[in-house]
Amino acid sequence: MNLWLTILLAGLATFLIRYSFIGAAGRVNAPAWFARMLRYVPIAALTALIWPDLLLPAGELQLSLHNPRLLAGLIAALVAWRSQNIFLTIAVGMGALWGLQWLL
Amino acid sequence: MSTPAPAPSPALTPASARQEFTAGLAAVSPLLLGAVPFGLIYGALAVQAGIPPPLAIAISSIVFAGSAQFMITKLVAAATPGLLIVLSVAIINLRHALYSAALADKLAHLPLRWKLLLAYLLTDEAYAAALRRLQRSGDASLIHWHLMGTGLGLWIVWQLSCIAGVVLGGRIPQAWSLDFAGTLTFIAIVVPLLKDKPALAAMAAAGVVAVLVFALPYKLFIIAAALSGMAMGVLVERLVARQGAQA
């Protein structure tokens, strides 16, 4: 599919999701199971992108201390957990990656 | 903002509409500062992923969702088929349906053009600011002006920083591994959400499935992993609730 068309469809899908209940003007309520499931959407969808980037940096499983992305990602996760600060997480994670790439 | 006006105010007096709009802008302004580096990184990643600069800029207003835009750069860089990009973006943005449901009653009385515009501007940030506004006491009948303030403020800053990122992006060497900043952003978003067992289980299931089925064609691992994580979260939530009921 052409990239422009892809983006237009992705934008349309995003808009329709945002408009859904507003458009229904309070006549439709979100079913409870749907609301429950949505809680896990960001966790599940973003994890699907995080783990392969850390564990399969070259398309193959690399569970070792010589994998700088895995180590830097774990350090960043620790920073995110303690600080809850997005920018500190990115800064420390990038610094760790550069340091480890230079060391290893 | 804390006007002691318990009497129902007459609809749409210009002053209070302006107050709500300004309050919305003020509520989102700390987040605006945060949106700038995000937009810069997105723009740079989009160019490095091979997205033509005009399209990279257009995405910011067509999709207007930070994490989905980061996801798009990753998927385009990996030559993912278009249909799967659309599906992945829809899944990651499903959470907005929850915001839409939460605000539907408050916006039901508005004309169509207001609903269309506010739906377009409905982001994590605008929703969070609106929630705080609704939790404060007082008349919230002009909440749409508040949403307009947060939405427009964020929109303008987001567009400008994405454009700056696209312009600068081509000059950042590949050796800097800037793509890793996208992954780090996701880590920074996900980790604070891991507050209980169901959330941890959802993360573990999505991660394990993603790694196990990574070799599937068309990057299908993303959708397989996302759906597994969602299912696991709901399942463990149910198990935990049942245990709590028995105890």
Side-chain angles (χ1 to χ4, degrees):
Chain A
M1 200 192 306
N2 172 298
L3 197 51
W4 274 94
L5 180 62
T6 301
I7 295 306
L8 284 175
L9 290 177
L12 184 67
T14 302
F15 173 76
L16 289 177
I17 290 167
R18 286 169 169 166
Y19 185 65
S20 57
F21 290 98
I22 293 176
R27 285 190 302 263
V28 184
N29 287 319
W33 66 264
F34 181 67
R36 264 206 311 278
M37 188 194 70
L38 286 185
R39 223 198 109 209
Y40 303 104
V41 169
I43 297 174
L46 295 179
T47 300
L49 297 176
I50 297 168
W51 280 39
D53 196 37
L54 301 185
L55 290 169
L56 313 158
E60 276 176 30
L61 189 62
Q62 214 185 322
L63 248 180
S64 86
L65 291 177
H66 293 281
N67 175 353
R69 283 188 177 233
L70 177 57
L71 292 180
L74 290 174
I75 293 169
L78 201 65
V79 172
W81 178 51
R82 300 302 300 182
S83 73
Q84 314 258 318
N85 181 322
I86 294 188
F87 298 105
L88 195 63
T89 305
I90 296 175
V92 172
M94 286 309 291
L97 181 71
W98 291 334
L100 288 164
Q101 277 175 340
W102 182 72
L103 275 176
L104 298 175
Chain B
M1 282 178 284
S2 56
T3 43
S9 60
L12 286 183
T13 56
S16 49
R18 191 182 305 143
Q19 275 170 5
E20 286 286 3
F21 184 83
T22 320
L25 265 183
V28 83
S29 51
L31 302 175
L32 294 183
L33 212 62
V36 173
F38 250 156
L40 285 171
I41 297 174
Y42 157 75
L45 284 181
V47 175
Q48 291 194 355
I51 300 174
L55 178 55
I57 291 169
I59 291 175
S60 294
S61 46
I62 296 173
V63 179
F64 189 45
S67 42
Q69 288 181 226
F70 275 96
M71 184 183 232
I72 290 172
T73 66
K74 248 185 179 344
L75 296 179
V76 171
T80 310
L83 208 57
L84 286 177
I85 296 183
V86 175
L87 209 55
S88 306
V89 168
I91 288 178
I92 183 90
N93 281 337
L94 254 188
R95 68 188 187 283
H96 291 105
L98 211 56
Y99 310 162
S100 186
L103 294 173
D105 275 342
K106 311 276 183 284
L107 308 178
H109 66 284
L110 294 171
L112 181 65
R113 58 178 192 281
W114 267 94
K115 289 181 187 170
L116 291 171
L117 187 58
L118 290 183
Y120 168 70
L121 292 173
L122 185 57
T123 55
D124 298 307
E125 291 85 351
Y127 174 68
L131 261 198
R132 284 196 300 275
R133 169 66 187 87
L134 288 171
Q135 278 160 2
R136 275 207 314 270
S137 59
D139 177 23
S141 62
L142 294 177
I143 188 72
H144 50 291
W145 281 105
H146 193 276
L147 279 164
M148 185 70 92
T150 52
L152 276 185
L154 194 66
W155 191 87
I156 291 168
V157 170
W158 183 242
Q159 303 307 323
L160 291 178
S161 28
C162 290
I163 292 171
V166 166
V167 172
L168 296 171
R171 301 181 195 180
I172 296 173
Q174 290 281 352
W176 286 18
S177 309
L178 193 66
D179 67 292
F180 195 57
T183 303
L184 291 170
T185 310
F186 296 153
I187 291 176
I189 296 172
V190 167
V191 169
L193 298 175
L194 303 175
K195 282 182 207 146
D196 50 23
K197 277 184 203 162
L200 281 166
M203 190 268 297
V208 168
V209 170
V211 170
L212 285 180
V213 303
F214 185 73
L216 281 182
Y218 309 124
K219 305 282 159 195
L220 276 170
F221 76 91
I222 295 172
I223 288 164
L227 294 179
S228 311
M230 285 151 65
M232 184 62 93
V234 173
L235 193 74
V236 172
E237 187 180 305
R238 206 169 278 181
L239 286 176
V240 169
R242 196 170 297 168
Q243 273 177 358
Q246 281 169 357

